[in-house]
Amino acid sequence: GENVEQHPSTLSVQEGDSAVIKCTYSDSASNYFPWYKQELGKGPQLIIDIRSNVGEKKDQRIAVTLNKTAKHFSLHITETQPEDSAVYFCAASSGNNNAGNMLTFGGGTRLMVKP
Amino acid sequence: NAGVMQNPRHLVRRRGQEARLRCSPMKGHSHVYWYRQLPEEGLKFMVYLQKENIIDESGMPKERFSAEFPKEGPSILRIQQVVRGDSAAYFCASSPDRAFAGELFFGEGSRLTVL
C-alpha cells in the first residue's frame, strides 16, 4: 500500500519568512496530492491540491510542487502570518474506482509563525 | 449547505463500555470515510463506505470495531468494549457521488476519552 513520509515534524519561522514542508510517497500509481491544514480542536481543511498532470500550482501565498519521477511533493507558504500557525498534512491517493478517494496521510508538520 | 456533521464532539467512556460515533455527510455525498488520529499523530484510514456497503475496511481493527452507513440516517462507527488505547479523535469525511472526486470534506471530529 501507499506510504507517505512528511518532514519536518515541527517548523518555526519568523512572521514574513517562507515555510517549506516536504513529502515523499511510495506508490507510483498515486495521482492526487492534497494538503490539509488542521487548527487546534478542528477537522482538517483542504488548502491546495495538485494532480499528477501538473508540476506546480499556486494560490496566493501558497504553492505546491510535484516531482513524479522522484515521488515527492512540497508545500511552500510565502510571507507567513501568525494565522498560518497550525498542523499541515500532506496526503496521496491513487483514486482508483474501487478505492474511491482513500487518502494516505503524512505524519503532519506543526508550523509555528512567530510575530 | 451544511458541512460534514459529527456527533458527539466529545465522548467519555469507561473501559469495557461501548462508543458510538455518528457522521452525517455533506448533502449529496454518498461516500464516507472514517479516520483515526492519535494525539500528536497523523490521520490513519479506517474504513470507506458507500450507502449500505463497506467498500474498504483494511484500516479497521478486526475486533471490537464496526462501521455502517445505512440507506437512511448517518454513518455509525461503533467501538465495543473500549480500552484506553482507543482514546483518539475520530474524523469522518465525505466526497461526492463520483468514484474519484478529489477533495475529502472533513467533519470537526469526535474525541473519545477512555478512562
Side-chain angles (χ1 to χ4, degrees):
Chain A
E2 176 67 279
N3 183 48
V4 178
E5 300 282 340
Q6 183 171 346
H7 300 279
S9 56
T10 60
L11 179 59
S12 182
V13 300
Q14 207 65 41
E15 182 178 358
D17 287 350
S18 294
V20 180
I21 302 171
K22 298 182 179 182
C23 289
T24 60
Y25 62 98
S26 61
D27 187 353
S28 56
S30 288
N31 54 14
Y32 175 65
F33 307 92
W35 286 86
Y36 283 82
K37 176 183 181 182
Q38 186 179 28
E39 296 177 339
L40 192 63
K42 302 212 166 182
Q45 280 201 305
L46 180 78
I47 54 171
I48 194 167
D49 58 12
I50 191 167
R51 298 185 189 272
S52 59
N53 57 346
V54 297
E56 184 173 355
K57 184 176 177 181
K58 192 171 180 181
D59 182 3
Q60 299 182 337
R61 296 186 297 109
I62 294 172
V64 58
T65 59
L66 171 65
N67 183 329
K68 282 223 79 179
T69 303
K71 294 208 277 272
H72 66 70
F73 55 114
S74 301
L75 177 72
H76 304 251
I77 306 174
T78 57
E79 300 171 23
T80 53
Q81 300 165 4
E83 50 266 38
D84 294 331
S85 297
V87 179
Y88 291 80
F89 292 98
C90 63
S93 168
S94 61
N96 64 70
N97 285 340
N98 289 331
N101 194 27
M102 191 180 86
L103 295 175
T104 300
F105 283 85
T109 296
R110 182 175 300 279
L111 174 64
M112 292 168 284
V113 180
K114 294 178 285 187
Chain B
N1 185 15
V4 176
M5 304 300 292
Q6 289 189 248
N7 68 84
R9 292 292 311 279
H10 300 275
L11 182 63
V12 178
R13 285 288 178 265
R14 296 192 181 279
R15 281 178 295 171
Q17 292 184 319
E18 179 179 288
R20 281 188 180 230
L21 310 177
R22 288 175 290 278
C23 169
S24 295
M26 285 183 70
K27 188 177 180 181
H29 289 191
S30 64
H31 300 243
V32 166
Y33 308 78
W34 285 93
Y35 283 80
R36 176 163 67 175
Q37 185 176 37
L38 294 171
E40 303 297 320
E41 291 190 13
L43 296 121
K44 303 295 183 189
F45 168 77
M46 298 182 74
V47 62
Y48 161 43
L49 310 104
Q50 292 180 22
K51 284 282 187 183
E52 299 185 276
N53 282 307
I54 296 174
I55 307 301
D56 185 336
E57 55 183 347
S58 58
M60 194 105 93
K62 293 286 183 280
E63 297 178 353
R64 302 188 298 108
F65 285 72
S66 62
E68 62 177 9
F69 189 15
K71 187 176 179 182
E72 301 290 339
S75 175
I76 306 281
L77 180 67
R78 183 183 178 205
I79 312 171
Q80 296 178 286
Q81 299 173 338
V82 295
V83 301
R84 289 220 173 105
D86 297 333
S87 295
Y90 293 84
F91 288 96
C92 171
S94 71
S95 67
D97 294 332
R98 299 193 295 274
F100 180 74
E103 180 179 359
L104 290 192
F105 295 82
F106 280 86
E108 297 284 72
S110 292
R111 281 151 185 84
L112 172 66
T113 301
V114 180
L115 302 177

